[in-house]
Amino acid sequence: MIVKASFPRLSKKKLLLTFWTILILSYLFYAEYVIYKLKSHSWPSMVCKNEETCTRILLVADPQIIGNLNEPLQILTPFTIYDSDRYLKITYYYAFHFTKPHVVVFLGDIMDEAHIASNDHFQGYVKRVYNIFLRPYGEFQHVKHIWLPGDNDIGGEDTDVTPKKLQRFERAFSQPSLINHQNITFFKINRLTDIIPVYKKEREFFDTSRIFIGLSHVPLMFRPSVFTEKVINKMMPHVLFTAHEHKSMIISTDALLRKDNHIIPITPDHDEIYEYSLGIQNMYEILIPTCNYRMGTNKIGYGYAIIENNELSFTILWSPSRFERLALYLPLVVLPLLVFFLFKSFGCVRKFMKKNYDTRV
């Protein structure tokens, strides 16, 4: 006699519920973990020829961590802060470990509402910045971090720059305006206050025994001005790294003639490595895109540069779109709820009709 094993049969409702739960969990795993890892595998690889003469630079522009006051839907502010901070932490984690940088440069607009924040709110924002960009990387104590203020940090566009705002930022991110690393001198430019560092030594642009890199939140060659000419005449940078525009491009011009700027837009359509010899003829300005998905663009990423002697290699490490992932959560959650309410409503209607029928009979 053959005894057949019997298994409980699941109802159609339970089968549908099980299928939808697996679908949601699978998408959750993909959208919150796998997509970041897959994206990092597509980044172009740049390798130092000689570790002793090589400097790897990770460039972070306009993270603009969300503030407590200006979110359109205040009731959702805790969620939007959590999701934006988490996105920045994950994408920065992959960019940091991919590049293994010697220097990390934060090109301003680090906080979104610092320029209008109370001291208590400002301190809270600074703690969040440290938690996102510094706390998980304590083992890399040798990495230099360079911090620049943007208009959202100290004012300059919607509000005025004041000594109090500037001093508050400098206390939180204290360091000199000239920073040396190997054969490179990084110097900070504050276009919001028209301040450049004091540098008294004479130098020539074609002398590449020391590479001069200008760092500014607001673009300079992209926005020509009297101040831009002052910076170039006094500091003669070989390359400028700037931000603020939330997009990426490379601007080059003849270092002596300074005419006919040549602009190369950089987009996620194809990953490229751009290579230039510094101090030969051209001066370069490289705009770094925002790394925060909340900035009204899906062209989000981090800049990555390698400087070896006078050779520059540069690329963008593009991050995955967050809004596209969030948009797909809507049908995954709303559709089963809609079906559930339809079934419930249909069941209630059937019961009501049956009750009326039984009453008439």
Side-chain angles (χ1 to χ4, degrees), residues 269-296:
D269 298 334
H270 47 274
D271 295 319
E272 276 193 49
I273 296 173
Y274 301 86
E275 297 180 328
Y276 302 101
S277 294
L278 302 177
I280 303 299
Q281 179 180 358
N282 286 342
M283 183 181 295
Y284 302 94
E285 176 173 25
I286 302 178
L287 274 69
I288 309 300
T290 179
C291 58
N292 191 339
Y293 74 87
R294 291 293 307 275
M295 296 300 107

Side-chain angles (χ1 to χ4, degrees), residues 83-205:
D83 194 68
S84 176
D85 285 8
R86 182 177 176 276
Y87 179 86
L88 288 170
K89 183 180 283 191
I90 293 173
T91 55
Y92 181 76
Y93 170 87
Y94 280 104
F96 188 95
H97 285 274
F98 180 83
T99 59
K100 296 180 175 58
H102 300 105
V103 180
V104 181
V105 180
F106 293 85
L107 288 165
D109 274 5
I110 299 165
M111 300 160 279
D112 190 45
E113 297 178 15
H115 63 122
I116 58 171
S118 65
N119 287 335
D120 288 341
H121 279 169
F122 182 84
Q123 290 304 320
Y125 299 154
V126 171
K127 287 180 181 177
R128 282 169 53 201
V129 169
Y130 282 8
N131 182 58
I132 293 167
F133 297 113
L134 295 183
R135 192 168 295 168
Y137 312 98
E139 69 271 26
F140 297 98
Q141 296 296 333
H142 61 280
V143 177
K144 280 188 170 73
H145 293 84
I146 302 176
W147 307 88
L148 273 72
D151 51 285
N152 286 60
D153 300 309
I154 61 170
E157 281 203 345
D158 298 332
T159 59
D160 293 332
V161 180
T162 65
K164 180 182 176 182
K165 294 176 189 176
L166 193 56
Q167 290 164 9
R168 185 169 67 175
F169 183 91
E170 289 174 348
R171 281 197 302 270
F173 305 98
S174 178
Q175 58 186 181
S177 56
L178 284 162
I179 298 169
N180 294 311
H181 179 83
Q182 296 203 85
N183 70 320
I184 301 172
T185 294
F186 296 92
F187 64 94
K188 299 180 183 181
I189 305 159
N190 193 331
R191 182 66 184 85
L192 303 167
T193 57
D194 288 351
I195 293 174
I196 56 177
V198 176
Y199 189 79
K200 296 181 179 179
K201 295 180 182 179
E202 291 187 7
R203 55 176 299 271
E204 292 184 2
F205 175 80

Side-chain angles (χ1 to χ4, degrees), residues 43-44 46 55-62 91-92 95-96 98-101 103-107 241-243 247-250 266 272 274 286-291 299-306 312-319:
W43 291 338
M46 300 192 305
T55 298
R56 291 185 295 272
I57 307 167
L58 179 59
L59 298 138
V60 183
D62 300 273
T91 55
Y92 181 76
F96 188 95
F98 180 83
T99 59
K100 296 180 175 58
V103 180
V104 181
V105 180
F106 293 85
L107 288 165
F241 289 117
T242 61
K247 56 189 174 184
S248 186
M249 66 184 73
I250 299 173
I266 306 176
E272 276 193 49
Y274 301 86
I286 302 178
L287 274 69
I288 309 300
T290 179
C291 58
K299 298 177 176 65
I300 313 155
Y302 297 87
Y304 175 30
I306 289 180
L312 166 67
S313 300
F314 174 80
T315 192
I316 296 291
L317 308 177
W318 296 106
S319 300

Side-chain angles (χ1 to χ4, degrees), residues 206-223:
F206 303 106
D207 177 10
T208 57
S209 59
R210 179 154 288 277
I211 300 298
F212 271 65
I213 297 180
L215 306 172
S216 172
H217 174 66
V218 179
L220 298 174
M221 289 163 58
F222 186 66
R223 295 183 173 188

